[in-house]
Amino acid sequence: MADMPEGGENPLTSAVVSRDRSTLDMVSDAIRHNQTMLAYQPIMQAMPPQGVALYEGYIRVLDSTGRVIPARDFMPLVEDKEEGRELDCLALEHGLKALARSPNIRLSINMSARSIGYRRWMRVLERHLKKDLTLGERLMLEINEASAMATPELVIDFIDRMQKHGIAFALDNFGAGATAVSYFRQFFFDAVKIDGQFVRRIHASYDNQAVVRALVGIAKQFDMLVVAESVESPADAEFLISIGIDCLQGYLFGAPSVSPPWLEELRENSRAS
């Protein structure tokens, strides 16, 4: 391999920096012009009647051409920046408006623990709860494991304060990080969502089966609902149900859609009648 010219910049590094800067600019523009929306994915009850327990709303941004950009393409870059807090605010705003429009659904929205102390995020939540006291009872907030463990005392206090509104909390990506058991006892999460890396093709992996059995055991010990993410095959779903998983989420049941699935179901029911 030829040496770089002395004093020159690594072209790969330069390309990555340029790509990241372009992504940040795209996200900033989307926030400025409110070119954001939620994509909804159903979370299914594992046991009969195996209907939809709730939907998860994932934040999406639109680029300058109107193309929908999934969170995995931008969230890692903005998670610890101001843009990340703004996206959390927009996700919550979209979610609470959806709950207000559709009183028969429950919705789960992702947030970072960093947004707990973000005043605008709290104002969005408080404003909507004042308008409709029932919204909190149909809202679940998901905090990923790494974010929760970065500021555990802050998360514990926040969950405690929000209980009076009936808001449920889920620990996302459970198993992917290193949740300290001493804190886990104090968190009082209502649910855990087992990280998809342990769920995909679990029917054929004894190692993943052992990990998930252990995670389910821990969650059940603390009376937490257990959701398996990234369920992609009937064989995986069958195994997960057999070990006591409460809810299933993944492409087997539907991909995230920017068209609210419950509205599609209402239209289909209306046409059928």
Side-chain angles (χ1 to χ4, degrees):
M1 180 183 294
D3 293 333
M4 285 192 303
E6 187 175 348
E9 186 175 346
N10 186 314
L12 179 59
T13 301
S14 178
V16 170
V17 169
S18 176
R19 181 201 63 195
D20 290 353
R21 187 180 301 116
S22 176
T23 299
L24 283 172
D25 289 343
M26 176 196 67
V27 172
S28 296
D29 287 343
I31 292 171
R32 188 178 307 113
H33 301 295
N34 197 22
Q35 296 296 308
T36 63
M37 60 180 62
L38 291 182
Y40 302 95
Q41 185 176 39
I43 299 175
M44 310 299 293
Q45 298 174 5
M47 303 304 291
Q50 297 175 319
V52 176
L54 70 162
Y55 296 89
E56 179 173 356
Y58 298 93
I59 191 67
R60 298 287 187 259
V61 302
L62 304 180
D63 67 10
S64 59
T65 68
R67 184 169 59 104
V68 178
I69 310 299
R72 65 174 179 271
D73 290 349
F74 59 82
M75 193 56 77
L77 283 176
V78 303
E79 169 64 23
D80 60 350
K81 297 180 175 61
E82 182 76 9
E83 289 87 352
R85 309 290 66 74
E86 294 291 327
L87 287 175
D88 273 2
C89 291
L90 290 166
L92 183 64
E93 184 86 47
H94 289 312
L96 291 171
K97 286 181 177 179
L99 286 174
R101 288 191 297 264
S102 302
N104 296 321
I105 67 165
R106 298 192 69 196
L107 195 59
S108 178
I109 302 295
N110 291 278
M111 65 171 292
S112 168
R114 294 180 177 90
S115 292
I116 293 173
Y118 195 66
R119 293 185 63 185
R120 184 187 163 198
W121 189 94
M122 287 301 303
R123 286 198 297 266
V124 171
L125 181 61
E126 291 168 356
R127 185 176 72 251
H128 283 274
L129 291 177
K130 286 180 181 177
K131 288 182 182 177
D132 185 345
L133 297 178
T134 71
L135 291 186
E137 299 169 0
R138 295 185 289 121
L139 174 66
M140 176 178 283
L141 294 173
E142 296 188 22
I143 305 176
N144 73 56
E145 191 174 38
S147 177
M149 286 311 303
T151 55
E153 293 88 356
L154 187 65
V155 174
I156 291 167
D157 175 70
F158 178 63
I159 292 176
D160 183 62
R161 288 188 288 113
M162 291 297 106
Q163 282 182 336
K164 65 181 180 182
H165 298 294
I167 298 172
F169 287 86
L171 181 66
D172 199 11
N173 305 119
F174 184 45
T179 303
V181 175
S182 59
Y183 283 119
F184 194 79
R185 287 201 305 251
Q186 301 173 50
F187 272 131
F188 293 110
F189 280 101
D190 301 279
V192 295
K193 302 186 73 176
I194 296 177
D195 193 78
Q197 65 178 303
F198 304 115
V199 174
R200 297 182 194 92
R201 292 191 55 76
I202 190 172
H203 73 279
S205 171
Y206 293 118
D207 289 344
N208 283 353
Q209 288 175 17
V211 170
V212 172
R213 284 183 193 274
L215 295 174
V216 170
I218 293 170
K220 295 290 187 181
Q221 179 64 35
F222 294 99
D223 297 319
M224 296 178 182
L225 186 83
V226 185
V227 181
E229 300 179 301
S230 302
V231 182
E232 298 174 353
S233 74
D236 288 341
E238 183 178 352
F239 174 80
L240 292 162
I241 292 170
S242 75
I243 63 170
I245 294 289
D246 298 298
C247 293
L248 306 167
Q249 180 180 5
Y251 282 91
L252 178 63
F253 308 102
S257 170
V258 294
S259 298
W262 58 90
L263 297 183
E264 295 297 325
E265 291 171 9
L266 286 175
R267 294 189 190 101
E268 290 179 7
N269 293 337
S270 178
R271 285 194 292 265
S273 60

